[in-house]
Amino acid sequence: MATTAQDVRLLALSLPDSSEKLAWGMPTFRVGGKIFVSLADDDTSIGVKCPKEDRAELIAAEPGKFFLRAGHDDNYAWIRVRLAAVRDTAELLSILTDSWLQAAPKRLIAAHPELTVDTG
């Protein structure tokens, strides 16, 4: 079942110290004053933080899920995610958490070790 804009809202706001704020006419979700996810105006995709060096690999692996908005995302550490291609809310939460970890203050991340990814 595809994930929805409501799933994004519920999961983003479930992350520690997260808040919602309208920007550029779209809902954005922030931690420590920094945006970690933005919902597209048509509710079909989200933008999340992603290191520039990781974007090409993600897009190549799952082009139906990940993409860049030409001319807009080129210079920023962001990637777009098509909500219809996200398998379930567990995968969506993983994507949102990864973005949250890139935006959150270090002290907040340290206070929530359950959110850090164990790559070992």
Side-chain angles (χ1 to χ4, degrees):
M1 187 166 108
T3 56
T4 67
Q6 186 59 23
D7 294 328
V8 172
R9 178 171 280 107
L10 291 172
L11 294 174
L13 292 174
S14 76
L15 294 167
D17 290 353
S18 296
S19 62
E20 182 175 349
K21 183 177 180 182
L22 219 61
W24 311 287
M26 298 177 291
T28 63
F29 301 87
R30 300 164 187 250
V31 59
K34 294 181 181 176
I35 298 172
F36 70 95
V37 62
S38 64
L39 190 58
D41 55 3
D42 63 1
D43 288 352
T44 63
S45 66
I46 57 173
V48 293
K49 294 188 74 57
C50 179
K52 287 182 186 180
E53 59 272 14
D54 296 345
R55 298 184 312 184
E57 183 178 339
L58 287 168
I59 293 167
E62 296 186 82
K65 184 181 297 177
F66 298 107
F67 67 103
L68 296 177
R69 198 168 83 190
H72 187 270
D73 297 327
D74 302 337
N75 299 316
Y76 300 99
W78 283 81
I79 196 166
R80 307 290 165 151
V81 183
R82 290 178 183 91
L83 292 176
V86 176
R87 286 185 303 275
D88 53 30
T89 56
E91 183 184 22
L92 179 60
L93 180 58
S94 177
I95 291 167
L96 296 176
T97 300
D98 185 58
S99 186
W100 182 94
L101 287 166
Q102 293 175 65
K106 289 184 184 348
R107 63 160 175 74
L108 187 57
I109 294 170
H112 294 279
E114 74 279 7
L115 296 178
T116 59
V117 178
D118 180 12
T119 59

Coordinates of all heavy atoms in Angstrom, one line a residue, residues 7-42:
D7 N 0.6 10.2 6.2 CA 1.6 9.3 6.8 C 2.9 10.2 7.1 O 3.5 10.0 8.1 CB 2.0 8.1 5.9 CG 0.9 7.1 5.8 OD1 0.1 7.0 6.7 OD2 0.8 6.5 4.7
V8 N 3.3 11.0 6.1 CA 4.5 11.8 6.2 C 4.3 12.7 7.5 O 5.2 12.8 8.3 CB 4.7 12.7 5.0 CG1 5.8 13.7 5.2 CG2 5.1 11.8 3.8
R9 N 3.2 13.4 7.5 CA 2.9 14.3 8.6 C 3.0 13.6 10.0 O 3.6 14.1 10.9 CB 1.5 15.0 8.5 CG 1.1 15.9 9.6 CD -0.1 16.7 9.2 NE 0.2 17.8 8.4 CZ 0.0 17.9 7.1 NH1 -0.7 16.9 6.4 NH2 0.3 18.9 6.4
L10 N 2.3 12.5 10.1 CA 2.3 11.8 11.4 C 3.6 11.3 11.8 O 4.0 11.4 13.0 CB 1.3 10.6 11.3 CG -0.2 10.9 11.2 CD1 -1.0 9.7 11.0 CD2 -0.7 11.6 12.5
L11 N 4.4 10.7 10.9 CA 5.7 10.2 11.2 C 6.7 11.3 11.4 O 7.5 11.2 12.3 CB 6.1 9.2 10.1 CG 5.3 7.9 10.0 CD1 5.8 7.1 8.7 CD2 5.4 7.1 11.2
A12 N 6.7 12.3 10.6 CA 7.6 13.4 10.8 C 7.5 14.0 12.2 O 8.4 14.3 12.9 CB 7.5 14.4 9.7
L13 N 6.2 14.3 12.5 CA 5.9 14.9 13.8 C 6.2 13.9 15.0 O 6.2 14.4 16.2 CB 4.5 15.5 13.9 CG 4.3 16.6 12.9 CD1 2.8 17.0 12.9 CD2 5.2 17.8 13.3
S14 N 6.3 12.6 14.7 CA 6.6 11.7 15.8 C 8.1 11.7 16.2 O 8.5 11.2 17.3 CB 6.2 10.3 15.4 OG 7.1 9.7 14.5
L15 N 8.9 12.3 15.4 CA 10.3 12.4 15.7 C 10.6 13.5 16.7 O 9.9 14.5 16.7 CB 11.1 12.6 14.4 CG 11.1 11.4 13.4 CD1 11.6 11.8 12.1 CD2 11.9 10.2 14.0
P16 N 11.6 13.3 17.6 CA 11.8 14.3 18.7 C 12.0 15.7 18.2 O 12.7 16.0 17.3 CB 13.1 13.7 19.3 CG 13.1 12.3 19.0 CD 12.5 12.2 17.6
D17 N 11.3 16.6 19.0 CA 11.4 18.0 18.8 C 11.1 18.5 17.4 O 11.5 19.5 16.9 CB 12.8 18.6 19.2 CG 13.0 18.5 20.7 OD1 12.0 18.2 21.4 OD2 14.1 18.8 21.1
S18 N 10.2 17.7 16.6 CA 9.9 18.1 15.3 C 8.6 19.0 15.3 O 7.8 18.9 16.2 CB 9.6 16.9 14.5 OG 10.7 16.1 14.3
S19 N 8.6 19.9 14.3 CA 7.4 20.8 14.2 C 7.1 21.0 12.7 O 7.9 20.7 11.8 CB 7.7 22.1 14.9 OG 8.8 22.8 14.2
E20 N 5.9 21.4 12.5 CA 5.5 21.7 11.1 C 5.3 23.2 10.9 O 4.8 23.9 11.8 CB 4.1 21.0 10.8 CG 3.6 21.2 9.4 CD 2.3 20.5 9.1 OE1 1.9 19.6 10.0 OE2 1.7 20.7 8.1
K21 N 5.8 23.7 9.8 CA 5.7 25.1 9.4 C 5.5 25.2 7.9 O 6.2 24.6 7.1 CB 7.0 25.8 9.9 CG 6.9 27.3 9.6 CD 8.1 28.0 10.1 CE 8.1 29.5 9.9 NZ 9.3 30.2 10.3
L22 N 4.6 26.1 7.5 CA 4.3 26.4 6.1 C 5.5 27.2 5.6 O 5.9 28.2 6.2 CB 3.0 27.1 5.9 CG 2.2 26.7 4.7 CD1 1.8 25.2 4.8 CD2 0.9 27.5 4.7
A23 N 6.0 26.8 4.4 CA 7.1 27.6 3.8 C 6.9 27.4 2.3 O 6.7 26.3 1.8 CB 8.5 27.1 4.2
W24 N 6.9 28.5 1.5 CA 6.7 28.5 0.0 C 5.4 27.8 -0.3 O 5.2 27.2 -1.3 CB 7.9 27.7 -0.7 CG 9.2 28.2 -0.2 CD1 9.8 29.3 -0.6 CD2 10.1 27.5 0.6 NE1 11.1 29.4 0.0 CE2 11.3 28.3 0.7 CE3 10.1 26.2 1.3 CZ2 12.4 27.9 1.5 CZ3 11.2 25.9 2.0 CH2 12.3 26.7 2.1
G25 N 4.4 28.0 0.6 CA 3.1 27.4 0.4 C 3.0 25.9 0.6 O 2.0 25.3 0.3
M26 N 4.0 25.3 1.1 CA 4.1 23.9 1.3 C 4.4 23.6 2.8 O 5.1 24.3 3.4 CB 5.1 23.2 0.5 CG 4.9 23.4 -1.0 SD 6.3 22.6 -2.0 CE 7.6 23.8 -1.6
P27 N 3.8 22.4 3.3 CA 4.2 22.0 4.7 C 5.7 21.6 4.7 O 6.1 20.9 3.8 CB 3.3 20.8 4.9 CG 2.2 20.8 3.9 CD 2.8 21.6 2.7
T28 N 6.4 22.1 5.7 CA 7.7 21.6 5.9 C 7.8 21.2 7.4 O 7.0 21.6 8.2 CB 8.8 22.7 5.7 OG1 8.6 23.8 6.6 CG2 8.7 23.3 4.3
F29 N 8.7 20.2 7.6 CA 8.9 19.7 9.0 C 10.3 20.0 9.4 O 11.3 19.8 8.6 CB 8.6 18.2 9.0 CG 7.1 18.0 8.5 CD1 6.8 17.9 7.2 CD2 6.1 18.0 9.5 CE1 5.5 17.7 6.8 CE2 4.8 17.9 9.0 CZ 4.5 17.7 7.7
R30 N 10.5 20.5 10.6 CA 11.8 21.0 11.1 C 12.2 20.4 12.4 O 11.3 20.0 13.2 CB 11.7 22.5 11.2 CG 11.3 23.2 9.9 CD 10.9 24.7 10.2 NE 10.4 25.2 8.9 CZ 11.0 26.2 8.3 NH1 12.1 26.7 8.7 NH2 10.5 26.6 7.1
V31 N 13.5 20.4 12.6 CA 14.1 20.1 13.9 C 15.2 21.1 14.1 O 16.0 21.3 13.2 CB 14.6 18.6 13.9 CG1 15.6 18.3 12.9 CG2 15.0 18.3 15.3
G32 N 15.2 21.6 15.3 CA 16.3 22.6 15.6 C 16.3 23.8 14.6 O 17.3 24.4 14.3
G33 N 15.1 24.1 14.1 CA 15.0 25.2 13.1 C 15.3 24.9 11.7 O 15.2 25.7 10.8
K34 N 15.8 23.7 11.5 CA 16.2 23.2 10.1 C 15.2 22.3 9.5 O 14.7 21.4 10.2 CB 17.6 22.5 10.2 CG 18.7 23.4 10.6 CD 20.0 22.7 10.6 CE 21.1 23.5 11.0 NZ 22.4 22.8 11.1
I35 N 14.9 22.5 8.2 CA 14.0 21.6 7.5 C 14.6 20.3 7.3 O 15.7 20.2 6.8 CB 13.5 22.3 6.2 CG1 12.8 23.6 6.4 CG2 12.7 21.3 5.4 CD1 12.6 24.4 5.1
F36 N 13.9 19.2 7.6 CA 14.4 17.9 7.3 C 13.4 17.2 6.3 O 13.8 16.2 5.7 CB 14.6 17.0 8.5 CG 13.4 16.6 9.3 CD1 12.8 15.3 9.1 CD2 12.8 17.4 10.3 CE1 11.7 14.9 9.8 CE2 11.7 17.0 11.0 CZ 11.2 15.8 10.7
V37 N 12.2 17.7 6.1 CA 11.4 17.1 5.0 C 10.4 18.2 4.6 O 9.9 19.0 5.4 CB 10.6 15.9 5.5 CG1 9.7 16.1 6.6 CG2 9.8 15.2 4.4
S38 N 10.1 18.2 3.3 CA 9.1 19.1 2.8 C 8.2 18.3 1.9 O 8.6 17.4 1.2 CB 9.7 20.3 1.9 OG 10.4 19.7 0.8
L39 N 6.9 18.6 2.0 CA 5.9 17.9 1.2 C 5.6 18.7 0.0 O 5.3 19.9 0.0 CB 4.6 17.8 2.1 CG 3.5 16.9 1.7 CD1 4.0 15.5 1.4 CD2 2.4 16.9 2.7
A40 N 5.6 18.0 -1.2 CA 5.3 18.7 -2.4 C 3.9 19.3 -2.4 O 3.0 18.7 -1.7 CB 5.5 17.8 -3.6
D41 N 3.6 20.3 -3.2 CA 2.3 20.9 -3.2 C 1.2 20.0 -3.7 O 0.0 20.2 -3.4 CB 2.3 22.3 -3.9 CG 2.8 22.2 -5.3 OD1 3.1 21.1 -5.8 OD2 2.9 23.2 -6.0
D42 N 1.6 18.9 -4.4 CA 0.5 18.0 -4.9 C 0.4 16.8 -4.0 O -0.3 15.8 -4.4 CB 0.8 17.6 -6.4 CG 2.1 16.9 -6.5 OD1 2.8 16.6 -5.6 OD2 2.4 16.5 -7.7

